[in-house]
Amino acid sequence: MSAIFGTDGIRGRVPGELNASLAFRLGFSVGSMLWEEGETRPRVAVGQDPRSSSDMLEAAVVAGVCASGADAERLSVVPTPAVSWYTRSHGLQAGIMISASHNLYAYNGIKCFTHEGRKLSERQEQRLQEQLGRTPAEREVTHPVGQVIPLTADPVREYTDYLSGCVQTDLSRIRVLFDCANGAAAATVPRLIRCLDLNADLIFSAPDGENINQNCGSTCPERLGEAVRRDGYDIGFALDGDADRCIAVDETGAVMDGDRILLAVASHWASCGRLPERAVTATVMSNLGLRESAQAHGIAVHTAEVGDSRVMRMMEQTGCRLGGEPSGHLIFRDYSVTGDGQLTAILLLETMAETGSSASALRSMLHPWVQRMENLPVSGTDKRRLLGRSSVLQAAERAREELDGGRIVLRASGTEDLIRILAEGRDADSVARTMRTLTDVIRREAASCPDN
């Protein structure tokens, strides 16, 4: 079967690319792999976001897990990082999250975690892909079917207790507004606010199955920014549908992306001895200004490929405690092994409280290069073959030369029929000009040479 794992698990429209049959087979394959690895009566945590298709997919995944002979623990609606945390803290052998993250409700996805709460490595995804290529009927199951195990703990309570224990500083003097993206964060942020005694309010916190990420959340922070500025909040946080991302807005409503949050926390930690390695991990999509601004604070920047699992691996290789992506996936390795939007929010609040800095002062620490991004739809075209065509490669090389020290990044989306283009340089006119040229070339190539 063709590869189904993208940058962050499996994702697609429901029904269509993602359906109950695939979800059942994935649950069965996860359980089967655990048996093959020598686990005895393995247990798998299964969580979901509140979009309309999640109930159906969760039921199918749980059925597949049980059919394989493994037991399932249903966590119901929780953030993705809560599944990661619950899996490792309760000694389960795997975790599965039903969510399409920042996508609209028509999409859904499945993310898998190891017993350590980590995203699967590429090798593990390949093994799971091979298992998926075999139907359950082709596999002999010699052990009894599994069961749905009643929960002995409240995952929302335990997870929010854990998060609140990560911060000892009084945060109550900072006035905060949370945008829950009408997603999984609506199940946990209210209790986190109470645990930390935050002076905080919520917007977009009423999921109805279809309004998840709809004109709100981390991919649309403008409405949060307007509310923060209008109503006098000190800072706002926009989460995404499964709450593993966080984008902030300062008191003026200006957006503070993952690069800016990463630098703000890292510089504070370095100044008080909590960052002895004086280094962070970013990605190829991070602004070139991050490296320059971090160096001004004596902090080195290591670069990973896109994806928080790849960021985590680079962090381990380099010994970094902090890492992340401009999109708001930030990893704080002392506390978590995956991106966690709520953890990001409270650690940035801790930075504000301990430094006495406003959100706008922390935001202004990064001096960005001019950066433009485009997402080009390329439905019906092999995205990776398109990027390998000589005309596209030549246009990209000419664009890099024109940017004179800047850069061009072309990448195929791991979850959607899109080519993502990043152009970056010191001069706005040059960046705009090279972006127009590149988009014209790619559109022309996609239209003239479709790969059906």
Side-chain angles (χ1 to χ4, degrees), residues 325-339:
E325 304 182 88
S327 62
H329 281 129
L330 270 72
I331 301 175
F332 300 87
R333 196 156 65 95
D334 288 346
Y335 303 105
S336 180
V337 295
T338 190

Side-chain angles (χ1 to χ4, degrees), residues 152-281:
T152 58
D154 180 347
V156 170
R157 175 179 292 274
E158 285 201 349
Y159 172 63
T160 50
D161 283 348
Y162 169 73
L163 287 180
S164 62
C166 294
V167 176
Q168 306 303 318
T169 304
D170 180 10
L171 309 177
S172 62
R173 296 182 181 179
I174 305 172
R175 190 160 180 249
V176 187
L177 184 61
F178 282 96
D179 173 353
C180 295
N182 291 317
T188 52
V189 170
R191 188 170 190 277
L192 181 62
I193 289 172
R194 295 193 297 273
C195 288
L196 288 171
D197 193 26
L198 297 180
N199 179 11
D201 295 309
L202 305 177
I203 57 174
F204 303 114
S205 59
D208 65 7
E210 297 187 0
N211 61 359
I212 189 167
N213 300 311
Q214 190 174 65
N215 299 316
C216 59
S218 63
T219 57
C220 186
E222 292 79 15
R223 294 175 71 182
L224 173 67
E226 292 171 3
V228 166
R229 182 180 63 253
R230 181 187 64 238
D231 298 328
Y233 289 92
D234 297 310
I235 193 168
F237 296 107
L239 305 169
D240 66 341
D242 66 339
D244 63 353
R245 295 189 189 194
C246 176
I247 295 293
V249 296
D250 69 18
E251 71 275 15
T252 73
V255 173
M256 193 172 181
D257 68 2
D259 284 348
R260 293 181 186 271
I261 298 172
L262 182 63
L263 178 61
V265 176
S267 62
H268 171 53
W269 282 20
S271 69
C272 60
R274 294 173 63 183
L275 196 72
E277 67 278 13
R278 298 193 73 87
V280 298
T281 296

Side-chain angles (χ1 to χ4, degrees), residues 86-98:
Y86 188 94
T87 299
R88 72 177 187 273
S89 65
H90 283 264
L92 276 66
Q93 283 67 54
I96 300 174
M97 177 67 180
I98 313 298

